[in-house]
Each structure stands twice: as structure tokens, then as C-alpha cells.
Amino acid sequence: MNRYEFLKISTGIIGGLTIPGVWGATTCAAETPPAERVGLDDFYLMRGLNALARSHQMSAMAGHLGASLVAGYFLGKQRPNLESEVYDGIQGDLDRVMAGESVFGSKMAKNSKIADSELFEAFPKEKPNESLIDGIAEALEKNIKTPRESGHNVIFASIAIHALKERPDLATPSIVDGIRKLIGLFDNAHPGSGYYGKTKGRIKGNKITLPELDDELPPYTDVKGMVEVVLEEIINQDPKVHVQGYGGLVHVNNHAAAITDLAQYGYPELVPAAIASHHQHLRLWRNLPNVADEFGPSPYAEFNPYTSAYWTSGKVSYDHALLTHRVKTMFGFDELAEAIDDDRKENRAYDKLRYMM
């Protein structure tokens, strides 16, 4: 059942969040005859969950590694008719992550007692228990009201919930308990940081005072409003505007996508607070200064990442962050686009994804 079908039969208003009619038609190619190869196999899903569950032994940011594998697996489910070169490219990214190339692994947590490769190892066999999944939402509820590290608390928790709700046979005590500990690491985290030019340098978001009023970004109070705003931000990207901080538009996209999944997978009561936090995240990002004079225009890819041309061009970037964010952003965009019934806006945003790649 896709989101549109799910919400056609759902009713209720929770915490001021109107649920029915929030989502649009699905963009997933589920009705399209699959290509010869369909995405990635379960290996990446299971290894991704293992890494999410062990990340707390390394650092909160180590959650990037496992989350990228889980996203890559579900991206194949979202779009089962992509060209084989796209799947090969995605798998190549994830293999690089498991090989220790991500900056968010032990390279960042220099005193880590665990190696990147150990994150992905299997846990001892345990009996799964689907009811344990609620514990991840409970952990998230403690830190969801304000932005935490550019939305990573919501992103990591939501992608784990998505995976375990789809595959409850993997919801073992070790997996769920480890992910709860990961989300708990964000309890005292700041909102992220931004670069405010040569004079001020990089400043954490909790040290920034935003203008009281922002006529260009009125509050949005439901999923539909949030999604419309984020898609407009993607559409209106201008390479002449170069800002740095709060995870960039990549994280604005992924944070919003994670919130749509919380509603879809059974936790709509968390959504109002999550949306208010997202609005704060987006305001912090939008109020960053343009530093194009210092760093040049924003880089962007020649091709869209859902096409074979992107992966075979010889110009694929493996910079320190994009390795774990590329696939999560592709997955997140599809989750986001499913939540709104506006094909024109979705297609315009799709065309601008290369500005985030």
C-alpha cells in the first residue's frame, strides 16, 4: 500500500496535524515492470541496520554509515526500473562506506574502540519482536522538539523505523536497543553550525538569533505545507548563491523526508513537534550569508543521479560527505515527493536534484 492509498483510508487529527489528504500520488515505480536487475539485495539492509545499532559505540555521526546502506536498499524498492549502471553506482558507494572511506566513521571519532568494518558485523541470532520498534520513537520523542545536528536525530530514527516496520523479522533486541542508544546521543546536541563569513567564521545554531519575523517563510504546520516549501527550495536553487552550514539543502530535504516517514509508519503524534523543529532548521539555513565571493559558485552535477549518465560520466564526486549522503538524498527525495499531489512541482524539483549532487 502506497502513502496515497494509506491516507485515503486513514482518519483523525493528532496534535493539530490533519492526516487525511496530506499525501499526493506515489512517485514510486511500483506499477512499472521491473528491469532485469531490481535494486540491491537484503545484504545491504541487514548490514545497514547492524551499523546503525553499533554506531553509538563510535559516535552519533557514525549513524551516517548504516543509514546510507538502508537508504540504498530501499531506493531500489522505490525505483525498480532504473538502469543497471545506476544500481552499480549506488552499490559502489555503499561498498566504499563499508570499506572505511566515509569521513563519518572512525576518521571522525579518532578515539573509537571499534573499526568501521566492525559496525556492519552480524549480531548473535535473536528472536525478533516487532513491538520493540516503538522504543525508537520513544527515544526520538526526547530530542525531537528542537533541531539536533541538522536533523540527524530524526533522519536516523526514521530510516530505522521505516526499515524495521517493513522488515519486522529484523527487529531484534540488539538491533533496536542499539538504535535507541544512537538516538539518545542527540539529547544534548546543538542544531548544527553554519559558516557566517571570514570575520565571524563558523557558529553553532544555538548561538544564532534569527529575525522574529520571516515573511518569506511563514510557519508551516502540516506535512503538506512542509513538503511544498522544501520542494520550492529545491526548485529555486541558484548556483550563484553559495551557503555553507546546517547540512545544506541535502539535510533540509532528508530531515523533511524523515518526518513524512514518521507519519506513514505509525507515529503521527511526533509529527507536529518535528515539523516545528524542521521549520527552525530551514530558517537557520536560509539566513546564512552568500559566500560565493569567497568560495565560488555552488558546485553541481552535469547529470541527474537517477540516470546512468551520472554514474558513467567519470565525474562522480566522492568527497568526504557526499559518499554517505548521495543515496540518502535520492531516497529522501522520493519519500518527500510521495507526500504531495503535484506532479509538475515534483518534476521541476527532480530536475534540480543535480544541484545537490
Side-chain angles (χ1 to χ4, degrees), residues 269-319:
E269 70 277 6
L270 296 180
V271 171
I275 287 176
S277 177
H278 184 275
H279 186 265
Q280 179 77 354
H281 178 187
L282 180 53
R283 289 197 70 207
L284 284 166
W285 179 75
R286 283 172 60 108
N287 277 274
L288 285 167
N290 183 4
V291 291
D293 288 346
E294 183 177 351
F295 296 104
S298 293
Y300 61 93
E302 183 178 358
F303 303 104
N304 187 289
Y306 293 100
T307 67
S308 62
Y310 176 89
W311 299 96
T312 60
S313 65
K315 300 178 182 179
V316 176
S317 174
Y318 293 106
D319 73 25

Side-chain angles (χ1 to χ4, degrees), residues 215-276:
D215 294 335
E216 294 184 2
L217 184 65
Y220 37 82
T221 58
D222 59 18
V223 170
K224 183 174 183 293
M226 176 185 67
V227 173
E228 287 179 340
V229 166
V230 174
L231 291 179
E232 283 294 334
E233 293 291 336
I234 294 173
I235 290 166
N236 293 328
Q237 290 174 98
D238 182 349
K240 294 189 294 295
V241 177
H242 189 162
V243 299
Q244 294 186 358
Y246 305 110
L249 193 52
V250 162
H251 286 84
V252 170
N253 172 86
N254 294 352
H255 189 180
I259 294 169
T260 72
D261 269 7
L262 289 178
Q264 166 71 0
Y265 286 98
Y267 304 101
E269 70 277 6
L270 296 180
V271 171
I275 287 176

Side-chain angles (χ1 to χ4, degrees), residues 46-64:
M46 292 185 290
R47 291 298 184 270
L49 286 170
N50 292 343
L52 279 170
R54 283 201 180 87
S55 295
H56 68 93
Q57 300 178 33
M58 184 176 284
S59 73
M61 290 296 98
H64 282 89

